[in-house]
Amino acid sequence: RIAAVVLALCAGGLLILALGHNPIAVYADMVTGSLSTKTTLLATAKIAIPLLGAALAITPAFKMKFWNIGAEGQITAGAIAATYFALYQFGNMPRPLLLLVMFLTALVAGGIWGLIPAIFKARWGTNETLFTLMLNYIAIGIVKYLRMGPWKSPASAGFPKIDMFDGSARLPNVFGLNIGWIIVLALVVAMFVYMKYSQHGYELSVVGESERTARYVGMNVPKIIMRTVFMSGAIAGIVGFLIVSGSSYTLSDTTSGGYGFTAITVAWLSKLNPFSMVVITVFLAILTKGSNTIQTDFKIPASAA
């Protein structure tokens, strides 16, 4: 593994050399641009929070070998549900209740969005990879419809957009960062315990190893599939809530931010270990934040990161 990391850095260094820059200086700039000041550190953390949440979301489904490529859509579904209450109910509830309702509705909406392909897989054996992937684009299409129609801000003249959230619909900060980081770290522990020590975690592992074996020992495979993928989508829905209420403060076509796809990389590199995901997520967040720094300092395209 160490050799793999060293070779990857060398390969990246050759690319940077080809662009006419010193690889060591560029790598160092990526790190300092992500961690050197409180501002950059908070910006890096804001990238890591939803990415870690998305990786946790797909973990139980992947352990069951249900290839949930739809975390993007499930994040978006949760964000849509939370946004409704943020836009139209903020004056009718006290702040703690409003945030709780946004959290719960996002959880349910993401879970239902994941449950749709799970039902088809459990009942008719459809291909979950294609099904969940297509649902991503449907969710984004719904956001576009809302942005250009029912939820269009009256103040947006040229480019239609959705209003920013009222202060009561925004998550409070702890140590300068929205409390989403506490929620996600709690999910890390909960997911580890669930996967390793709970009966449900054992059942989904058996289904992932062999559906025939699971049926032979009396497990209700369709129920396990639907339950697990609902949970997967629900966690993704929570991520959607954290994004719109904790950082962007509005809903847009790009709310999911590609986190659902990058989370697949995190999940595989960590071998579905929630604690390993924390380390890998922080590393990828440094790469992402550092890409903006090298673009500014070295005029290197951000995609080089």
Side-chain angles (χ1 to χ4, degrees), residues 25 35 91 94 113 124 134 154 161 167 175 209 235-236 257 270 280 282 293 296:
L35 305 174
W113 207 251
W124 298 290
M134 290 189 291
K161 61 181 181 180
F175 302 123
E209 290 297 324
I235 297 173
S270 67
I280 294 166
V282 170
T293 307
T296 302

Side-chain angles (χ1 to χ4, degrees), residues 46-65:
K46 285 183 178 179
I47 297 169
I49 289 170
L51 179 56
L52 178 56
L56 292 170
I58 64 174
T59 294
F62 273 35
K63 184 70 173 179
M64 192 177 60
K65 291 187 170 58

Side-chain angles (χ1 to χ4, degrees), residues 7-296:
L7 288 171
L9 290 171
C10 291
L14 292 174
L15 172 64
I16 294 167
L17 276 174
L19 294 171
H21 300 283
N22 182 338
I24 296 175
V26 172
Y27 285 148
D29 193 55
M30 290 176 70
V31 176
T32 56
S34 306
L35 305 174
S36 60
T37 67
K38 182 180 179 181
T39 302
T40 56
L41 192 60
L42 291 176
T44 303
K46 285 183 178 179
I47 297 169
I49 289 170
L51 179 56
L52 178 56
L56 292 170
I58 64 174
T59 294
F62 273 35
K63 184 70 173 179
M64 192 177 60
K65 291 187 170 58
F66 181 101
W67 309 120
N68 180 13
I69 314 298
E72 291 275 304
Q74 292 147 23
I75 290 170
T76 303
I80 292 170
T83 298
Y84 167 78
F85 286 92
L87 293 178
Y88 298 109
Q89 301 298 326
F90 70 88
N92 301 327
M93 304 179 192
R95 186 184 187 191
L97 179 60
L98 175 63
L99 291 174
L100 178 61
V101 169
M102 290 169 63
F103 174 89
L104 293 175
T105 53
L107 181 154
V108 172
I112 291 173
W113 207 251
L115 185 61
I116 296 169
I119 291 172
F120 276 76
K121 171 73 172 181
R123 300 299 184 191
W124 298 290
T126 56
N127 185 304
E128 72 276 12
T129 305
L130 294 175
F131 206 134
T132 53
L133 181 64
M134 290 189 291
L135 281 175
N136 291 337
Y137 302 103
I138 294 174
I140 293 171
I142 292 172
V143 174
K144 289 180 179 178
Y145 163 73
L146 294 171
R147 176 173 59 80
M148 302 181 73
W151 292 1
K152 179 182 176 182
S153 171
S156 59
F159 183 77
K161 61 181 181 180
I162 295 171
D163 277 326
M164 298 292 287
F165 289 4
D166 180 79
S168 62
R170 301 183 182 190
L171 288 173
N173 290 339
V174 176
F175 302 123
L177 193 63
N178 74 76
I179 62 170
W181 68 272
I182 299 176
I183 295 172
V184 171
L185 289 179
L187 284 172
V188 169
V189 177
M191 183 59 68
F192 177 81
V193 173
Y194 179 84
M195 297 283 288
K196 193 169 181 64
Y197 297 108
S198 74
Q199 179 182 337
H200 287 184
Y202 172 73
E203 288 175 345
L204 68 88
S205 296
V206 174
V207 172
E209 290 297 324
S210 170
E211 286 192 21
R212 285 186 177 182
T213 301
R215 289 192 176 93
Y216 178 77
V217 297
M219 293 182 183
N220 187 336
V221 173
K223 179 181 177 182
I224 294 169
I225 291 174
M226 290 186 284
R227 178 186 69 208
T228 302
V229 183
F230 177 87
M231 181 180 69
S232 182
I235 297 173
I238 293 171
V239 173
F241 161 70
L242 297 180
I243 292 172
V244 294
S245 188
S247 56
S248 66
Y249 306 128
T250 189
L251 177 69
S252 71
D253 308 357
T254 58
T255 288
S256 56
Y259 293 118
F261 293 125
T262 309
I264 298 170
T265 303
V266 176
W268 282 126
L269 288 177
S270 67
K271 294 189 175 181
L272 304 181
N273 183 317
F275 292 112
S276 299
M277 287 178 189
V278 177
V279 177
I280 294 166
T281 297
V282 170
F283 177 72
L284 289 178
I286 291 171
L287 285 180
T288 304
K289 180 66 180 70
S291 67
N292 298 324
T293 307
I294 62 172
Q295 187 171 9
T296 302

